[in-house]
Amino acid sequence: MSNTVWINALAELQQQGEPCVLVTIIEERGSTPRNAGSKMVVSRERLYDTIGGGHLEYKAQKIAREMLDNRVRETRLERFSLGASLGQCCGGATVLLFEPMGQPQAHIAVFGAGHVGRALVPLLASLPCKVRWIDSRESEFPAQIPTGVEKVVNDEVVDEVENMPAGSYFIVMTHNHQLDLELTAAILERGDFTYYGLIGSKSKRAKFEHRLRDRGFQAETVQRMRCPMGISEVKGKLPVEIAVSIAGEVIATYNANFGEKSADGEKPVPMLVPAARRSQTG
């Protein structure tokens, strides 16, 4: 029966878009509490199944949670001697394999459930991203929300900006220019985003830049806003064409290995666009 516990847990966590680490005993020498092949799943909140309990399991859980916190995507091997240092009396040795599963490459907040939002969100949902889809109007959302997407209905849409983790991607395409402006101000105020895209034309950008400067935002902060957003080479006015353009820019951003920067020793965050394109933004 135990075999189904970790399998079911993996399936359930994947369905919820919740990252986890699969821990497997791949080698055992001498006396060990569980056999090779034993597995457990570690999420941020819970453990599923067991690799034998005790201090070994505690250490494995600690390593797995550190991997989750640091969004590690590479597998990892660790060898443990089951002696006094681990508080185990077995006297054997165990090698554990840690496999990150379902770790999103990007946490994305999409504000607006209009035509472009409805075309964009299914594309983002099929990527290694965790998507929160936010609007004040319940009626705008489709009946079927893509798997792994969290629908958020909130009259105070701007309050949702602070509910995203550092390094998130923000995409703003609401039905209201004033709301777009308030969201823009809240996102730029945070400043810890990887990407911020605002739907609109160059004239909308010029108006927003003027208003944001009036509110005291520095020019270099405002420059981080992508508006018009999306890949300029992808032309077209259809919602799906605009959505593909935006999704392409999101993919280019999270795949970017260029110009990574690290603030105060924190993990690197990819910069918005390569240097060659940064000079052209705005």
Side-chain angles (χ1 to χ4, degrees), residues 47-268:
L47 285 182
Y48 303 83
D49 226 320
T50 180
I51 54 167
H55 204 57
L56 173 68
E57 188 162 291
Y58 172 76
K59 287 275 285 187
Q61 174 187 332
K62 194 164 180 285
I63 289 169
R65 295 241 161 91
E66 281 170 7
M67 290 173 73
L68 288 171
D69 287 345
N70 293 313
R71 300 187 194 181
V72 172
R73 291 201 292 275
E74 296 76 32
T75 56
R76 177 171 166 178
L77 279 175
E78 291 283 344
R79 185 180 188 280
F80 299 91
S81 298
L82 302 182
S85 66
L86 271 182
Q88 310 266 158
C89 55
C90 312
T94 297
V95 178
L96 299 183
L97 172 66
F98 295 81
E99 297 177 273
M101 312 292 279
Q103 185 65 269
Q105 283 180 269
H107 288 260
I108 305 179
V110 177
F111 292 89
H115 295 305
V116 179
R118 291 198 293 272
L120 175 64
V121 167
L123 292 178
L124 298 178
S126 65
L127 298 171
C129 300
K130 190 166 185 178
V131 182
R132 298 185 83 232
W133 194 6
I134 303 154
D135 203 302
S136 59
R137 305 160 300 163
E138 169 82 54
S139 59
E140 287 297 304
F141 288 99
Q144 286 295 111
I145 301 295
T147 301
V149 173
E150 181 186 356
K151 179 177 92 171
V152 180
V153 180
N154 186 345
D155 286 338
E156 302 301 327
V157 172
V158 180
D159 289 354
E160 291 297 327
V161 171
E162 65 187 32
N163 291 334
M164 296 298 292
S168 289
Y169 293 54
F170 293 90
I171 295 171
V172 169
M173 44 176 65
T174 79
H175 58 295
N176 182 303
H177 270 239
Q178 188 59 35
L179 180 55
D180 282 356
L181 181 64
E182 297 309 324
L183 283 165
T184 301
I187 292 160
L188 295 181
E189 187 74 46
R190 274 191 64 151
D192 60 358
F193 53 89
T194 297
Y195 173 90
Y196 171 44
L198 170 67
I199 201 161
S201 60
K202 286 180 179 172
S203 63
K204 179 176 177 179
R205 182 190 182 99
K207 282 178 194 158
F208 273 43
E209 283 184 345
H210 182 71
R211 289 175 187 170
L212 290 163
R213 278 199 294 271
D214 284 349
R215 293 190 185 201
F217 284 94
Q218 297 299 309
E220 57 268 26
T221 303
V222 177
Q223 278 298 105
R224 295 189 63 203
M225 173 177 75
R226 292 287 296 162
C227 179
M229 67 173 149
I231 297 171
S232 59
E233 291 80 0
V234 179
K235 310 290 185 194
K237 301 291 184 198
L238 293 174
V240 69
E241 291 169 330
I242 299 166
V244 166
S245 166
I246 296 164
E249 190 163 75
V250 167
I251 294 166
T253 304
Y254 73 60
N255 280 342
N257 295 316
F258 44 72
E260 292 204 319
K261 60 178 181 179
S262 180
D264 305 325
E266 291 176 8
K267 54 183 173 287

